[in-house]
Amino acid sequence: MIPTNKLALLCAAFCAAMLAFSHNANALRVPMPSSPTTTLGFFPDSHVVGTITPGAPADPADVATYINFMIGLAPGGSGSFGGQTITRSTNLFGSLPTASAVGAVSGTGTTIDLNAIGGTFTYLFAKYDGQNDVSQVWNISGLTGVITIPADGPLGYGLSGWILFGPTGQVPDGGTTVMLLGAALGVLGMARRYLLS
């Protein structure tokens, strides 16, 4: 049986610990800097990894295999894979990680806000008008903020859609959960010590 005064102190300590780690929107409001904007283009843009013609089917699993074939080519090389003509740009990126369809994000439109989507992405694939134009792959590792891609492909056909790929998919939790768990365990440890004394 826990005495009433010890129970009251325990509850007060627990509430104080939880409030200390809660977000206070008024006290923590800091003006956010505007997101950087990166405009991507076609080769010789330094982010271009290569092209895929026709780039169909354009589902994440198939496109990941096209990208992985592309990064295996020598810079400036080309080859055929899965009914696609795949060409690697002459841009040098060092070691490029394998693309994974796990955590891939698809969309349409020429503006992509990486901060709103969340996650870590390495490649951006853009498909232009079915099988009438060339599909493009960019290396976007290290980019944040807003990315703008061309509305029309190299042959003048409109954007059909895009897919973001990363080697690992979504970014893991930033640590808030671990911090709260540690605080709760600390409070429980102090409460146990206090109650047993």
Side-chain angles (χ1 to χ4, degrees):
M1 201 67 173
I2 301 174
T4 306
N5 62 345
K6 285 189 176 184
L7 183 60
L9 284 173
L10 174 65
C11 290
F14 181 76
C15 288
M18 291 300 106
L19 288 174
F21 293 107
S22 67
H23 294 286
N24 183 340
N26 293 329
L28 297 177
R29 185 166 292 164
V30 176
M32 296 296 291
S34 61
S35 295
T37 300
T38 304
T39 301
L40 300 176
F42 301 113
F43 191 76
D45 184 304
S46 64
H47 294 281
V48 173
V49 179
T51 60
I52 304 168
T53 307
D59 63 87
D62 285 322
V63 174
T65 63
Y66 307 154
I67 293 171
N68 291 332
F69 179 82
M70 178 184 293
I71 63 176
L73 293 171
S78 65
S80 294
F81 176 80
Q84 312 296 315
T85 300
I86 300 176
T87 303
R88 171 90 183 261
S89 74
T90 56
N91 292 331
L92 302 176
F93 298 104
S95 177
L96 290 170
T98 302
S100 172
V102 175
V105 176
S106 301
T108 58
T110 59
T111 302
I112 305 161
D113 187 348
L114 295 176
N115 295 338
I117 295 172
T120 301
F121 300 100
T122 305
Y123 303 106
L124 170 59
F125 166 85
K127 178 77 184 121
Y128 290 94
D129 194 37
Q131 298 187 19
N132 295 317
D133 211 328
V134 178
S135 298
Q136 190 81 24
V137 178
W138 292 275
N139 177 358
I140 60 165
S141 59
L143 295 182
T144 59
V146 177
I147 293 176
T148 303
I149 58 176
D152 296 317
L155 303 178
Y157 291 94
L159 177 68
S160 299
W162 49 262
I163 306 171
L164 292 169
F165 294 92
T168 58
Q170 301 299 324
V171 170
D173 181 42
T176 304
T177 303
V178 174
M179 182 183 69
L180 288 173
L181 176 63
L185 290 174
V187 168
L188 287 174
M190 289 187 308
R192 180 178 179 269
R193 182 179 183 108
Y194 181 74
L195 291 173
L196 295 177
S197 61

